[in-house]
Amino acid sequence: MEKKSAILACILVLNMCTSISLVQCEYYSQSLPYNQVKEQKTSLHFYMHDILGGSKPTAVPIARANSGQGGPAPFGTLFAIDDPLTEGPEITSTLIGNGRGMYVSASQDAIPTLVMYMDLGFTSGKFNGSSISVFSRNPITESPREMAIVGGRGLFRFAKGYITVHTHSFSGNGDAVLEYNAEIVHP
Ligand SMILES: *[C@@H]1O[C@H](CO)[C@@H](O)[C@H](O)[C@H]1NC(C)=O
């Protein structure tokens, strides 16, 4: 209702060619002071399973540079991921969500660095339906390493923070279990 009358008011103002500055007819609204809501910090601890091998991999290569470089993930290799997140390090432990998105092998150095573009979505407990957005480099041989949290959904709307990552285990065929400690500041 309010919207309708606002639109009507806009049309009126436009038709009359008046310059009533109180009514806005633009694609933007008036900027208002941002009253910061009290922020809180939530810590999360879970494991991410990045499985490249077997019949049901959770990370699959989707593009590769035509550089002739060898190895499982040479510079310019892009993977799509749907990695399970669990409470404990075992894949059979309680499933709490999934990490969906992509990572790209983005380093020309001898030591591989990935850049992660992913949404870690939670499917159980208090944060069911909420997610955190990660956009960060990930120097996979460093332990611990740090990734940036740049946003989120649901209860993590407006989130910011970081994740400390430890490689819990790594098998020959590239399967990895990663321990994630997330520190999240959010409303
Ligand atoms: C999570 O939320 C979805 C959607 O509301 C619901 O269907 C599901 O049962 C919830 N899962 C848990 C474990 O609470």
Side-chain angles (χ1 to χ4, degrees):
M1 286 300 189
E2 242 167 45
K3 229 181 197 172
K4 235 181 197 168
S5 51
I7 291 167
L8 278 174
C10 275
I11 290 167
L12 254 170
V13 168
L14 282 173
N15 282 346
M16 297 191 307
C17 294
T18 58
S19 55
I20 302 168
S21 61
L22 286 172
V23 182
Q24 285 206 321
C25 303
E26 313 285 352
Y27 71 91
Y28 47 84
S29 69
Q30 191 188 344
S31 298
L32 300 168
Y34 180 62
N35 299 317
Q36 199 112 40
V37 273
K38 211 164 169 235
E39 287 180 322
Q40 52 187 329
K41 197 181 83 167
T42 298
S43 303
L44 303 179
H45 177 246
F46 55 90
Y47 292 83
M48 177 156 135
H49 302 262
D50 194 53
I51 304 158
L52 282 92
S55 59
K56 203 170 175 275
T58 66
V60 292
I62 53 172
R64 190 178 287 268
N66 190 19
S67 62
Q69 279 181 289
F75 175 52
T77 312
L78 182 65
F79 289 79
I81 62 167
D82 183 2
D83 286 353
L85 308 177
T86 59
E87 245 169 29
E90 307 302 328
I91 188 76
T92 49
S93 91
T94 308
L95 186 72
I96 57 135
N98 49 60
R100 291 179 174 168
M102 293 186 293
Y103 56 75
V104 63
S105 177
S107 162
Q108 305 208 61
D109 303 338
I111 296 161
T113 288
L114 303 177
V115 174
M116 320 290 292
Y117 311 86
M118 62 183 182
D119 178 295
L120 303 181
F122 302 98
T123 55
S124 85
K126 180 181 172 184
F127 296 106
N128 184 8
S130 299
S131 76
I132 49 177
S133 305
V134 176
F135 167 37
S136 199
R137 67 176 58 196
N138 177 9
I140 57 172
T141 52
E142 285 174 28
S143 210
R145 52 194 181 271
E146 185 183 318
M147 297 196 301
I149 296 168
V150 297
R153 295 183 295 118
L155 292 175
F156 292 134
R157 205 178 272 180
F158 292 121
K160 58 193 172 190
Y162 65 94
I163 302 171
T164 307
V165 183
H166 276 96
T167 303
H168 175 79
S169 62
F170 186 74
S171 81
N173 56 3
D175 297 356
V177 179
L178 296 322
E179 184 181 6
Y180 276 32
N181 275 292
E183 298 294 331
I184 308 161
V185 173
H186 60 101

